[in-house]
Amino acid sequence: MTAPFLKGPSDPTVQPVPASVVDKVDAADTTLSNPKWAVVALGSNLGNRLETLQGAVDALEDTPGLRIKAVSPVYETEPWGVEPGSQPAYFNAVVVLKTTLPPSSLLERAHAVEEAFHRVRDEHWGPRTLDVDIVSYADVVSDDPQLTLPHPRAHERAFVLAPWHDLDPEAQLPGRGPVAGLLDAVTRDGVTPRKDLELRLPE
């Protein structure tokens, strides 16, 4: 059986992996001969944004059955869907990972990491300490209302496409085509690379 998730002194999460997730990891580890690639987008516009994003990367890496393979550059982004100046700017990044977790369990873990950083869902398009969004999972295309794959708005968001393209210029968004072409079709206004900032790839 997979070892339980243990909190160390540098672990930013405040809760263990739910038993249901551990059970699904155990099942996936025995039924999948090879892990699946997934892309996850991170965003924060409250508190210490860079520290929060790094904590999210570390928490994902600490998940049984999941390994972070690449971490994008950091972008600073004007908030989406709200009046300019009404919220602080976001820091955004993308991670590419390999996992034996099925999509539903990866979503559970994403929500657990958000909650560990006190994510509140009171307001649509509201400010938040942390967003952890699954952008794509292997080549899965699904309209499941619990988890639409790929993310239904990823193709029109430069703050997702730009850092993903930095990691993999040949990347494909399932059902939508090359990330490079999608990025060319959207505006990069308000999406600025922060070359002075860096997220560490977990060792």
Side-chain angles (χ1 to χ4, degrees):
M1 171 165 169
T2 302
F5 181 82
L6 299 177
K7 294 182 289 183
S10 63
D11 180 18
T13 57
V14 295
Q15 62 186 50
V17 176
S20 62
V21 174
V22 173
D23 291 341
K24 289 175 183 175
V25 172
D26 290 337
D29 281 336
T30 59
T31 58
L32 291 180
S33 59
N34 60 305
K36 305 298 184 184
W37 288 96
V39 177
V40 173
L42 307 174
S44 173
N45 76 333
L46 293 177
N48 188 325
R49 298 167 294 172
L50 187 66
E51 184 178 287
T52 296
L53 293 189
Q54 184 64 60
V57 171
D58 294 342
L60 287 170
E61 174 69 12
D62 282 342
T63 304
L66 187 157
R67 286 294 173 265
I68 303 289
K69 306 306 288 186
V71 181
S72 79
V74 177
Y75 281 74
E76 190 162 20
T77 306
E78 290 301 313
W80 175 273
V82 299
E83 287 294 320
S86 64
Q87 291 183 23
Y90 277 85
F91 282 176
N92 291 102
V94 163
V95 298
V96 174
L97 56 88
K98 294 180 82 171
T99 184
T100 55
L101 289 169
S104 60
S105 294
L106 183 58
L107 179 64
E108 285 185 46
R109 182 56 175 156
H111 287 170
V113 173
E114 288 180 340
E115 290 166 10
F117 285 89
H118 310 294
R119 163 68 186 269
V120 178
R121 299 175 182 273
D122 288 342
E123 178 186 352
H124 191 53
W125 305 123
R128 63 286 309 268
T129 52
L130 180 63
D131 260 339
V132 181
D133 289 328
I134 301 172
V135 177
S136 68
Y137 181 99
D139 57 357
V140 174
V141 177
S142 168
D143 59 2
D144 184 335
Q146 298 301 315
L147 177 59
T148 302
L149 289 171
H151 190 286
R153 291 175 294 279
H155 66 285
E156 58 191 23
R157 292 180 167 178
F159 61 82
V160 172
L161 299 171
W164 188 6
H165 183 262
D166 288 343
L167 286 182
D168 182 5
E170 305 300 319
Q172 299 270 336
L173 184 64
R176 294 285 183 178
V179 168
L182 296 171
L183 185 56
D184 286 341
V186 300
T187 178
R188 294 199 194 201
D189 291 347
V191 179
T192 305
R194 287 293 304 266
K195 298 184 184 298
D196 57 319
L197 303 176
E198 184 178 11
L199 293 172
R200 302 182 309 276
L201 185 67
E203 296 180 357

